[in-house]
Amino acid sequence: DTGVSQDPRHKITKRGQNVTFRCDPISEHNRLYWYRQTLGQGPEFLTYFQNEAQLEKSRLLSDRFSAERPKGSFSTLEIQRTEQGDSAMYLCASSPRGGGAYNEQFFGPGTRLTVL
Amino acid sequence: AQSVAQPEDQVNVAEGNPLTVKCTYSVSGNPYLFWYVQYPNRGLQFLLKYITGDNLVKGSYGFEAEFNKSQTSFHLKKPSALVSDSALYFCAVRGDPSGTYKYIFGTGTRLKVLA
């Protein structure tokens, strides 16, 4: 399977714990996005990487959230001191280099986070 | 500020009938518009996009969308609905130039095709 993969698919944690999610984009894609999706809502932008550079981070994102893409391939999203409001589906998407802003995104299956 | 609206939470249509799922947008600059579909327990899949050129865009699975600049709309259409089209549909937009890499997604419209 050469699509976007995310790990884990499900994560249950207790309030206050730290969690880390991984995204493996399609191999030749240099653009990578993280989104959060809650029930009844569309994906909400969290952050964007072009290669290893994090070029944009949503102002809605608190300092408890951090993302990395150290070698321009896989990416990790860490949430520190989780809160119940962090419960959501976390989506990763990638798109190929070139084409400017109008390449379609290829989404992974998501990681569903439940904070108890 | 960029925004996108999907005014209908759910659209019901009989199999074989034409379907329309509505989307309106607001961006500065020229819009880049997208439709994605989400099937149960599967990731979002790209359907089609409008960047420039012909206002009628054709995409996957027989879907098409019409860009209307004066009405700032990008409605998704299909001439004959299938039961298998039942899914959650999202419209997304990004303005150009926008000063941001962010795409804005609508809240989604659930399409139910009845046999």
Side-chain angles (χ1 to χ4, degrees), chain A residues 2-52:
Chain A
T2 56
V4 178
S5 61
Q6 293 186 245
D7 183 69
R9 295 290 304 275
H10 303 273
K11 179 70 177 179
I12 300 174
T13 192
K14 292 182 179 178
R15 187 164 48 99
Q17 298 295 305
N18 299 343
V19 294
T20 299
F21 308 142
R22 177 179 170 125
C23 170
D24 286 88
I26 294 172
S27 58
E28 62 268 26
H29 288 185
N30 71 326
R31 301 169 196 253
L32 188 145
Y33 301 80
W34 283 99
Y35 293 90
R36 178 171 60 192
Q37 186 178 21
T38 54
L39 200 62
Q41 300 297 317
E44 177 189 21
F45 172 83
L46 294 179
T47 190
Y48 166 71
F49 288 88
Q50 189 163 304
N51 301 309
E52 66 276 7

Side-chain angles (χ1 to χ4, degrees), chain B residues 83-104:
Chain B
V83 172
S84 58
D85 293 330
S86 298
L88 191 54
Y89 290 82
F90 291 96
C91 181
V93 67
R94 181 184 160 182
D96 176 54
S98 64
T100 174
Y101 297 95
K102 180 165 49 175
Y103 289 78
I104 303 297

Side-chain angles (χ1 to χ4, degrees), chain A residues 9 33 35 37 40-43 45 48 50 55-56 91 101-105 107-109, chain B residues 32 34 36 38 41 43-44 46 49 51 88 90 94 99-103 105-108:
Chain A
R9 295 290 304 275
Y33 301 80
Y35 293 90
Q37 186 178 21
Q41 300 297 317
F45 172 83
Y48 166 71
Q50 189 163 304
L55 297 186
E56 188 167 354
L91 301 173
Y102 45 81
N103 284 334
E104 57 267 32
Q105 295 175 46
F107 282 82
Chain B
Y32 293 156
F34 300 79
Y36 287 85
Q38 189 171 37
N41 299 316
L44 278 84
F46 168 77
K49 65 184 178 186
I51 305 302
L88 191 54
F90 291 96
R94 181 184 160 182
T100 174
Y101 297 95
K102 180 165 49 175
Y103 289 78
F105 282 78
T107 52

Side-chain angles (χ1 to χ4, degrees), chain A residues 32-86:
Chain A
L32 188 145
Y33 301 80
W34 283 99
Y35 293 90
R36 178 171 60 192
Q37 186 178 21
T38 54
L39 200 62
Q41 300 297 317
E44 177 189 21
F45 172 83
L46 294 179
T47 190
Y48 166 71
F49 288 88
Q50 189 163 304
N51 301 309
E52 66 276 7
Q54 186 176 22
L55 297 186
E56 188 167 354
K57 184 175 174 179
S58 171
R59 275 175 257 165
L60 300 174
L61 222 55
S62 77
D63 291 342
R64 297 184 297 107
F65 287 72
S66 62
E68 293 183 340
R69 195 182 183 198
K71 296 182 181 178
S73 56
F74 74 91
S75 176
T76 57
L77 177 69
E78 181 183 16
I79 309 175
Q80 296 182 326
R81 304 181 303 282
T82 52
E83 302 172 355
Q84 287 183 327
D86 297 332

